[in-house]
Amino acid sequence: MKTDALERTAGPRAQREVQRYPRHRQFILKGNYAAAEAARLCRVGFVPAYPITPQTTIVERLAEMVAQGELDARYVNMDSEHSVFAAALGASLGGERVFTATAGQGLFYAHEVLHAIAHFRLPVVIANVGRPSIPWNIWSDQSDSLAQRDTGWVQFYGESSQEVLDTVIQAYLLAEQLNIPVMVVLDAFYQSHTSENVWVPNQDLVDEFLPRRTPGPMCIDVANPKSFGGLVPPEHYNKLNYTYWRDAIQVEERAGQIAAAFAGLFGRRYDNVEAVQIGPHTKLVLVTVSSITSTARGVIGKYPDVGLLKIRLFKPFPKASVQEALRTLPDDAILAPIERNFLGDREGAIFQEMQRAMYGRPLRMYDFYAGAGGKDVPPETIEQIIHLARTQPKDVNWVDIA
């Protein structure tokens, strides 16, 4: 951990934190380096890579780790993101623990292979640094990952660099228990290139939590040859889809169990969703993912009747967790999803998923587009959303577009 990573000077506060997080060291890390550190700690064995802004420093850091002997893995520069994910598929079939990173057009270009990895039931984990597509833009946006909602990948969204590191570790356990791939998403620049204090666990602590990968049924076994990807007739294809569905609907509960186990060992708790300031008194709830959440946290402190619902697990959408988080909310309350995405539809992805989850409850819900293409969402914009939602909301609202 030599690049852009400075260990904090130990002082009284740092000493208290060490007691809180034993078997850790604290570093100042950008989000991209936190993702790379997590991959190292998970002892990944194969890293196919292709650079694309703003994720490039993830694969650059992994290349350094391999070259310097910090990571015992095969690192291969590929000729495109389509090839990256094809190589990831092949290595995972071979029984390796695989990691890579991408963003924007890179994820779009890999779309075909995303389906293949998911339906081959391969536990690949990736980091996606969210950015949009056209017009050409490299700044923060979640349209790339949200456009892949239906490829069969689990999707987590991290609020901080610490959460990104911890989620990658949890993602491997989830992926390898259910044989479903996982995408961990972080916001471009707000997270990927911003330095934060991050507690990095010792290797033995991660090894205790995450065992070595055990090759699953969709791995190559030379003693028992089988074919992969052949033509499948309808009666078998239907069965394959059923078994995938049977395991996918376990993701919400299993992710919660893994988060609880992680908290017990590492001291940091994450839930599928997080309810802040939500109860019978709440009149308005902001619904957020990723870095906008942190800004909203600061704002609602001035508004005791405004709550916040943070979505961490986005796909499969955690319906039961959302319903439980909003269980005590009065029926005259308002939900206000904040969208850093535009998918060519009337409403954004968060609104659509929330509507499905809350079907049957008479809650009013208004959608707010803010921050697409990396436009900043400062506290003033959050306050504008609160004001609009309370006084003169439209069904769909574009905020601060001047």
Side-chain angles (χ1 to χ4, degrees):
M1 195 183 302
K2 300 181 177 68
T3 306
D4 269 13
L6 304 174
E7 196 162 6
R8 282 178 63 89
T9 302
R13 180 180 176 183
Q15 291 299 326
R16 289 195 299 271
E17 291 295 309
V18 168
Q19 293 173 2
R20 181 182 179 189
Y21 298 125
R23 301 163 72 185
H24 285 73
R25 290 182 297 163
Q26 193 176 51
F27 294 88
I28 299 173
L29 291 178
K30 297 175 181 177
N32 278 358
Y33 290 117
E37 278 300 313
R40 179 187 67 80
L41 289 165
C42 292
R43 297 188 184 275
V44 299
F46 185 72
V47 181
Y50 191 84
I52 182 171
T53 303
Q55 76 79 11
T56 300
T57 52
I58 297 179
V59 294
E60 285 180 342
R61 178 65 186 124
L62 289 166
E64 286 182 351
M65 291 176 176
V66 173
Q68 295 168 358
E70 300 172 44
L71 174 62
D72 182 16
R74 176 67 61 87
Y75 183 99
V76 182
N77 289 312
M78 308 301 295
D79 59 1
S80 72
E81 288 88 351
H82 192 282
S83 299
V84 164
F85 281 82
L89 184 153
S92 190
L93 280 175
E96 282 287 0
R97 183 172 284 166
V98 179
F99 180 83
T100 191
T102 190
Q105 275 82 350
L107 189 65
F108 298 140
Y109 191 26
H111 176 79
E112 174 192 15
V113 196
L114 295 179
H115 280 282
I117 290 171
H119 290 278
F120 274 144
R121 306 298 303 274
L122 299 174
V124 174
V125 174
I126 72 165
N128 184 77
V129 183
R131 54 168 272 195
S133 176
I134 300 297
W136 194 68
N137 180 294
I138 61 171
W139 290 274
S140 182
D141 197 288
Q142 290 139 10
S143 299
D144 55 354
S145 53
L146 291 171
Q148 311 304 314
R149 280 183 292 172
D150 300 327
T151 55
W153 285 61
V154 175
Q155 291 191 9
F156 287 102
Y157 288 75
E159 181 183 352
S160 65
S161 296
Q162 184 74 66
E163 188 169 345
V164 167
L165 184 146
D166 292 341
T167 300
V168 169
I169 296 170
Q170 293 176 55
Y172 274 107
L173 191 57
L174 177 67
E176 291 172 10
Q177 285 183 358
L178 294 177
N179 290 306
I180 298 177
V182 181
M183 182 184 305
V184 179
V185 185
L186 55 156
D187 281 347
F189 298 105
Y190 293 109
Q191 291 176 284
S192 65
H193 287 66
T194 299
S195 296
E196 301 178 27
N197 294 328
V198 178
W199 285 98
V200 178
N202 296 345
Q203 184 66 65
D204 66 321
L205 183 58
V206 178
D207 291 343
E208 187 177 334
F209 178 78
L210 178 66
R212 298 273 187 175
R213 182 188 173 190
T214 301
M218 288 298 287
C219 286
I220 296 168
D221 181 357
V222 293
N224 297 284
K226 51 191 169 185
S227 64
F228 298 89
L231 184 67
V232 177
E235 60 271 20
H236 294 306
Y237 195 92
N238 191 51
K239 187 185 299 181
L240 290 171
N241 276 249
Y242 166 73
T243 57
Y244 194 105
W245 171 85
R246 182 192 61 199
D247 293 337
I249 62 174
Q250 298 182 49
V251 167
E252 180 178 358
E253 181 178 4
R254 191 70 63 91
Q257 293 168 350
I258 289 171
F262 185 92
L265 197 58
F266 293 78
R268 294 179 295 279
R269 177 64 190 252
Y270 304 96
D271 294 304
N272 295 328
V273 304
E274 181 186 352
V276 182
Q277 216 165 273
I278 295 177
H281 64 285
T282 308
K283 300 300 183 184
L284 170 67
V285 175
L286 306 175
V287 186
T288 63
V289 301
S290 288
S291 58
I292 289 176
T293 305
S294 297
T295 307
R297 284 183 193 276
V299 171
I300 66 171
K302 298 188 293 183
Y303 299 90
D305 62 343
V306 176
L308 172 66
L309 181 66
K310 168 189 169 180
I311 307 294
R312 176 174 175 257
L313 171 64
F314 194 88
K315 196 66 177 182
F317 198 72
K319 178 180 177 180
S321 300
V322 168
Q323 291 179 342
E324 176 59 25
L326 302 180
R327 180 176 52 82
T328 60
L329 197 66
D331 286 341
D332 63 347
I334 297 170
L335 301 180
I338 303 176
E339 314 277 1
R340 181 167 259 155
N341 69 87
F342 176 66
L343 302 178
D345 208 336
R346 187 170 183 271
E347 301 95 0
I350 303 174
F351 183 94
Q352 293 169 2
E353 298 290 348
M354 285 295 295
Q355 272 198 318
R356 289 199 305 141
M358 299 309 296
Y359 181 77
R361 279 202 66 181
L363 294 168
R364 290 172 291 166
M365 193 180 313
Y366 305 108
D367 208 16
F368 291 85
Y369 284 102
K375 184 172 176 59
D376 196 20
V377 182
E380 293 78 12
T381 299
I382 301 296
E383 293 196 283
Q384 185 181 355
I385 291 170
I386 292 172
H387 175 72
L388 285 172
R390 282 173 156 173
T391 59
Q392 48 185 349
K394 301 175 183 177
D395 288 344
V396 179
N397 306 267
W398 284 82
V399 182
D400 195 20
I401 59 172

